[in-house]
Amino acid sequence: MSAYTATAAGLRFAYRLSEQEVHPFDGVIWEVREAVLQDNKGNTVFSQENVRVPQQWSQTATNIVASKYFHGVFGSENRESGVDVLIERVVTSIVAWGKESGYFQSANDAEVYRSELTALLVGQYLAFNSPVWFNVGCDRLEPNSTSKSWHWDAKSAAVIEDAAGYRKPQCSACFINSVEDSMESILTLAKTEGMLFKWGSGSGTNFSPIRGSMETLSGGGTASGPLSFMRGHDAFAGVIKSGGKTRRAAKMAILDVDHPDIQEFITCKSREEAKAKALVAAGYDGTGPDSEAYASIFYQNANNSVRVSDAFMQLVEQNKGQSWPLVARSTGEAVKTVDPTVLFRQIAEETWRCGDPGLQFDTTINSWHTCTESGRINASNPCSEYIFLDNSACNLASLNLVKFVRDEVFDAELFAHAVRVLIVAQDILVDHAGYPTEQIAIHSHDYRPLGLGYANLGAMLMGMGLPYDSDEGRETAAAVTAQMGGADYKASAEIAATMDALAPADTTLERGHGGAFPGYHRNRTAFLQVIAKRRAAVQALYDSAANLPTEQRHAALDVWEEAEELGLGSGFRNAQVTVLAPTGTIGFMMDCDTTGIEPMLGVVVFKKMVGGGYLTLVNQAVGAALLRLGYTTEEVSAIESHIQVNSTIEGAPTLREEHLAIFDCAFRPAKGTRSIHWRGNVRMMAAVHRVDHRGV
């Protein structure tokens, strides 16, 4: 157990990035800028003057934060005008809630925590998901609202409906909603999703319970099928902006591979996109998702995914022309059969054509499920990083990996510190947030799922001089991912221990009491089995990572051993803690060159100028990598000049052949010949999931 873990009721914290009696903002150089956003036609859609930002933050970060996250009516005296005001609003609320709920052992620990969280945020080490920035600390009133919201009430130890006209802040970006085979359930889902989109969140649903279009209705006639209802839900998502801003709503629509309408589902998006292309050919505007052509077609506001089982995939691998049944939802009988290999080929072709549908591997997902006694996992959020029980929510956050590279090595100690600070904040948010349905509020408290991930992996690897598509790059990424997971679960166990100290000894199994999440005791066996599997995977990494420094291997393995030991005694506070998130809008807030785990797109970036045109800039990671590899400042300058002119590093003066792979990116430049093979990204996915990537 670390030197500042839970030794009594409440957690201890120590200064790391900040200093006692010195506000973190005092060490920042601030400047005033204008924030401007333009549409794809060059028209200004947002402009705010006198925006106070740290000097180190880019203009892109300034534009995103001011336009998306500043609270208050534009032009009013209550409109936020600085990053300092924004961060202070969020941090003050979280610390106050933490004090109220007993997270800190002393008032001094609360102040240390406030200082460290503030320093991490203003330094762009990490960021909360967008709904936190949209909603926390705003005390939004809706006096004319008839919509309901629920939250956890500590005094009554129950989930209660919010008072009329007042909503607790929605803090989660990711929701999974269920739907049943009834008109009431389908329409209720539309309303729930609408409110989620309004407050800045995304929603995913498995529509497989809805009977297929060839099935009969109880009152006579034929069912319209899930795709018809997906059209209506898609239209709502298209007109409701996320968080009341110009950020689009996010949806995930899932159908099981044995659903009677699976073939129509697989092709629905590309068929609609063919209509849009025809409209563009006829002269209609097709320059964006809100253009005449694309706004007139369906299925454009959701990611679509097919849920496949091991049984289906085994038939595909065998490729012997077997039959796969499509099963009626109303009777459980096969309404037709298809060749699984042909169906899988159809999925692949449609994905190549328009990007959808994706695949979700149902059997594997449920084999790593921590709460099997509470139900199976059927769906995910829009980007598939959050996968858990139906009618549940997850607040996300991301760590900017580039910030944790110090003196050319990854600072595992600082990384673990940031993870702990962030997990505490996310857990505090669970009980002080509002939720759109009572069941989601109950599940959010009973399972407390969190989603901590990272961004800028591609930039970090390049800056460290490691090729993305290499064993060294994959082992480094796997070690960072493993350490994040272990540090997350260790912090979760620490919180469980300290919150258990606050609860009466004889009520630890009741909702609202005890430190572990209320559903833990029911699922303890399954939960610990998953923890053991994950720890074994980290042990395998430790044993096999020949290219990884010993210190980094120890950082990953040691923290998992500590997490497992702590959890065996106290249980865990959260049913889930980690995700591999795409890190969208908040990636811009942190000035990330790459978002999730993907590689660099290119060695240059093109930034649109306010007055028109583009500015070509060399990615920051390029210079960092060259210096680390021993190139002189003069050589680095010459290489970067070559890149700026040619948009490729190939052919750059003094660049050594053996270093070319370090600068390979996802896109092949017009004047170059090199890029990362698609298998490079798949192998990276396998590595961070601790799957043997050598056969990919």
Side-chain angles (χ1 to χ4, degrees), residues 537-605:
V538 179
Q539 180 68 60
L541 171 68
Y542 180 89
D543 294 338
S544 64
N547 301 289
L548 206 59
T550 302
E551 298 79 8
Q552 202 164 0
R553 286 192 288 167
H554 272 296
L557 183 60
D558 292 352
V559 76
W560 267 105
E561 291 177 344
E562 293 170 359
E564 188 174 34
E565 182 181 355
L566 282 170
L568 286 172
S570 63
F572 294 86
R573 182 70 167 170
N574 315 96
Q576 289 188 0
V577 288
T578 57
V579 295
L580 284 177
T583 312
T585 307
I586 63 172
F588 294 109
M589 183 183 188
M590 294 186 290
D591 280 317
C592 295
D593 289 316
T594 61
T595 52
I597 70 162
E598 74 281 359
M600 285 277 203
L601 293 178
V603 290
V604 296
V605 293

Side-chain angles (χ1 to χ4, degrees), residues 441-677:
I442 291 171
H443 275 178
S444 295
H445 176 76
D446 283 0
Y447 300 97
R448 313 184 69 85
L450 306 179
L452 180 54
Y454 53 65
N456 238 1
L457 175 66
M460 182 195 76
L461 293 176
M462 185 179 289
M464 294 177 70
L466 300 174
Y468 182 92
D469 189 9
S470 68
D471 287 340
E472 295 90 339
R474 285 184 283 269
E475 288 174 5
T476 298
V480 169
T481 308
Q483 188 194 350
M484 180 179 72
D488 282 353
Y489 274 114
K490 178 183 175 183
S492 183
E494 288 182 35
I495 300 170
T498 189
M499 299 308 283
D500 187 58
L502 293 170
D506 59 347
T507 59
T508 55
L509 299 185
E510 297 178 11
R511 181 182 296 152
H513 297 290
F517 66 91
Y520 174 76
H521 305 283
R522 179 184 180 189
N523 292 281
R524 185 176 186 273
T525 298
F527 194 101
L528 293 179
Q529 285 175 347
V530 172
I531 292 293
K533 286 168 67 175
R534 295 188 66 172
R535 183 185 175 283
V538 179
Q539 180 68 60
L541 171 68
Y542 180 89
D543 294 338
S544 64
N547 301 289
L548 206 59
T550 302
E551 298 79 8
Q552 202 164 0
R553 286 192 288 167
H554 272 296
L557 183 60
D558 292 352
V559 76
W560 267 105
E561 291 177 344
E562 293 170 359
E564 188 174 34
E565 182 181 355
L566 282 170
L568 286 172
S570 63
F572 294 86
R573 182 70 167 170
N574 315 96
Q576 289 188 0
V577 288
T578 57
V579 295
L580 284 177
T583 312
T585 307
I586 63 172
F588 294 109
M589 183 183 188
M590 294 186 290
D591 280 317
C592 295
D593 289 316
T594 61
T595 52
I597 70 162
E598 74 281 359
M600 285 277 203
L601 293 178
V603 290
V604 296
V605 293
F606 300 95
K607 295 202 173 182
K608 194 171 186 179
M609 305 299 291
V610 174
Y614 290 86
L615 183 66
T616 303
L617 300 174
V618 179
N619 266 319
Q620 299 176 64
V622 173
L626 291 169
L627 290 172
R628 185 182 189 281
L629 294 168
Y631 291 86
T632 66
T633 54
E634 292 79 12
E635 289 173 325
V636 172
S637 179
I639 293 171
E640 290 185 331
S641 296
H642 173 89
I643 294 171
Q644 198 149 14
V645 172
N646 298 282
S647 297
T648 178
I649 200 169
E650 294 177 64
T654 73
L655 183 71
R656 296 190 284 279
E657 181 76 19
E658 63 267 25
H659 293 155
L660 269 174
I662 295 169
F663 304 98
D664 285 346
C665 298
F667 292 165
R668 180 179 299 169
K671 295 183 180 180
T673 61
R674 300 178 62 94
S675 63
I676 295 173
H677 192 276

Side-chain angles (χ1 to χ4, degrees), residues 273-289:
E273 291 190 0
K275 296 177 186 177
K277 292 175 183 176
L279 289 171
V280 172
Y284 288 91
D285 178 29
T287 55

